[in-house]
Amino acid sequence: MHIDRIDLITIRMPLSAPFTTSFSTQTERCPLLVRAVASEGGETVVGWGECVALAEPYYSPEYLEGARDVLQRFLVPALFEWQTSGRPVTAQTVSAAVAHVVGHRMAKAGLELAVLDAQLRLRHTSLAEHLGVTRDSVPAGVSVGIEDSVSALLDRVGGFIDQGYARIKLKIRPGWDVEPVRAVRERFGDLPLQVDANTAYRLSDVPTLRNLDPFELLLIEQPLAEDDLRQHAILAQQISTPVCLDESVISAQTAADAIALGAASVINIKPGRVGGYLEAVRIHDLALANGVAVWCGGMLETGIGRAANAALAGMPGFTLAGDISASDRFYRQDITEPITMTDGAVAVPRGPGIGVEPIPDALADSTIHSIELTA
Ligand code: OSB
Ligand code: MG
């Protein structure tokens, strides 16, 4: 496969409602799409990837403009140099081609996905088939932001339950934890429910976190800081809610460390956070071998990343519902044909590659910045 050209396309998409977490309130999303034009044996295809870095470095060190800069100045040139020196460019070699760049996993993952999509399209294979996925659909969970009041939260959750979501995740932070969880349990009963703190607590908050025990949550996601693996292990001994890691797991190596330390009995796998779909698969395999449940997280993806996540989440170790919701959870208009939910599940895409592509008009209407890089 020859990569002829790579475009970095930044788009702006208004959110249908503000989304508040312990680290920020978002009203719009500006994803960076990676478009790879690739050819082989006289056939030319376009592969798409999505870099999930947020606009600000509040969830992880990466952010939109930084990701775009590192892609433009370091990652894409490194891939072209790798190709020019005669080494094969495939999704499996992207990580080696850019390994000398430290970190920047979301940027690397966006590039890898574009190359992977192109490669699979050239082989007329879907991502799901490539991953050995046999399921037709995956259960759809929804991540519900922090609201101004408990009654507003109950309205929001009720709306998602009416739509058929299979699992609800509540964002929490100190001052917005036990009360909203109790209210949701009282109103909606024993639905599959979990919480996500995005690092907002400390070990000294154990008494508060223990108050969540009676609600039999599926898990608490990332209660403590990203680099507090040992403290997560201590916390896991002191609460009955299973501890799940998100921000802390940036690679298969940290996943292995977290499992060995007892810091996580569940792992949220986000391909962007760990540097790509291939590393995500390695974490899946490791977790499966160790009896650790995994589920697929989300980063308010467009249809591009959402479709790829729906394929990944079909792998056998993904035994918990992911943050895999329909396009309309966040967007009135997606840039691809919308990802939809039927009977609480999202279909595993079966078309070539990731199975979706941007609708040209929708892409043009939302593009705010574009860079063309040629080999
Ligand atoms: O912590 O899982 C998270 C969104 C942005 C950044 C971090 C997180 C989230 C979500 C939303 O919870 C997941 C989604 O539905 O895309
Ligand atoms: Mg999370």
Side-chain angles (χ1 to χ4, degrees):
M1 179 172 67
H2 184 269
I3 306 289
D4 307 329
R5 160 176 164 177
I6 289 181
D7 297 338
L8 305 176
I9 304 168
T10 308
I11 64 177
R12 177 188 286 140
M13 299 167 72
L15 297 189
S16 52
F19 181 62
T20 298
T21 63
S22 64
F23 61 86
S24 77
T25 294
Q26 295 173 67
T27 56
E28 64 173 24
R29 179 80 170 105
C30 292
L32 176 59
L33 301 181
V34 181
R35 177 180 183 269
V37 180
S39 48
E40 191 173 73
E43 192 181 352
T44 298
V45 296
V46 174
W48 289 93
E50 177 168 350
C51 169
V52 299
L54 300 177
E56 296 108 3
Y58 300 160
Y59 163 78
S60 78
E62 292 187 79
Y63 63 103
L64 169 64
E65 314 258 331
R68 190 163 70 207
D69 185 68
V70 80
L71 275 158
Q72 178 180 9
R73 293 174 54 216
F74 298 100
L75 303 181
V76 174
L79 190 65
F80 285 147
E81 218 173 283
W82 177 275
Q83 174 169 264
T84 306
S85 72
R87 285 169 286 187
V89 173
T90 65
Q92 289 70 26
T93 61
V94 169
S95 64
V98 299
H100 57 288
V101 175
V102 179
H104 295 284
R105 290 177 170 86
M106 292 177 178
K108 290 175 177 177
L111 181 61
E112 184 201 82
L113 182 58
V115 173
L116 178 60
D117 185 36
Q119 177 177 330
L120 295 173
R121 284 173 195 267
L122 283 166
R123 292 184 193 160
H124 308 283
T125 303
S126 68
L127 177 56
E129 194 185 338
H130 173 72
L131 296 173
V133 169
T134 54
R135 282 192 243 181
D136 291 331
S137 67
V138 294
V142 61
S143 175
V144 185
I146 294 166
E147 294 286 337
D148 290 337
S149 66
V150 168
S151 75
L153 178 74
L154 293 175
D155 288 348
R156 237 25 217 138
V157 171
F160 290 127
I161 291 171
D162 290 345
Q163 288 174 45
Y165 279 101
R167 182 226 73 190
I168 301 286
K169 158 170 143 182
L170 303 180
K171 290 291 191 179
I172 59 168
R173 68 177 168 210
W176 180 268
D177 39 41
V178 179
E179 195 194 348
V181 168
R182 176 182 294 120
V184 168
R185 273 282 184 248
E186 277 173 3
R187 171 76 66 92
F188 301 109
D190 62 357
L191 77 163
L193 184 66
Q194 63 193 55
V195 293
D196 185 0
N198 289 110
T199 76
Y201 295 86
R202 309 172 148 256
L203 215 39
S204 55
D205 293 313
V206 163
T208 302
L209 298 176
R210 252 195 201 134
N211 289 335
L212 293 171
D213 284 355
F215 300 106
E216 309 215 326
L217 301 173
L218 291 168
L219 56 89
I220 180 170
E221 184 180 347
Q222 197 69 40
L224 310 177
E226 177 179 322
D227 52 1
D228 277 355
L229 279 188
R230 195 177 58 85
Q231 297 190 44
H232 276 103
I234 294 169
L235 175 66
Q237 299 287 324
Q238 302 192 8
I239 60 177
S240 66
T241 309
V243 172
C244 168
L245 293 179
D246 173 357
E247 284 89 331
S248 291
V249 175
I250 57 169
S251 61
Q253 186 59 61
T254 49
D257 289 350
I259 292 170
L261 278 167
S265 52
V266 183
I267 294 175
N268 166 339
I269 297 183
K270 290 180 184 171
R273 198 193 61 227
V274 303
Y277 284 80
L278 304 182
E279 187 77 354
V281 169
R282 284 190 279 274
I283 296 175
H284 161 273
D285 295 349
L286 175 84
L288 191 57
N290 284 276
V292 166
V294 303
W295 54 281
C296 184
M299 291 290 292
L300 303 101
E301 283 89 347
T302 72
I304 300 293
R306 202 167 285 276
N309 286 348
L312 178 71
M315 296 187 76
F318 287 84
T319 51
L320 293 167
D323 282 341
I324 300 196
S325 41
S327 292
D328 68 6
R329 153 67 189 101
F330 290 114
Y331 306 111
R332 277 206 186 84
Q333 215 210 318
D334 207 332
I335 48 147
T336 62
E337 288 299 332
I339 307 290
T340 56
M341 177 178 64
T342 312
D343 297 331
V346 168
V348 170
R350 289 286 167 183
I354 59 173
V356 297
E357 51 271 310
I359 299 163
D361 283 348
L363 180 64
D365 288 350
S366 53
T367 297
I368 54 172
H369 190 275
S370 187
I371 304 170
E372 297 172 15
L373 303 165
T374 44

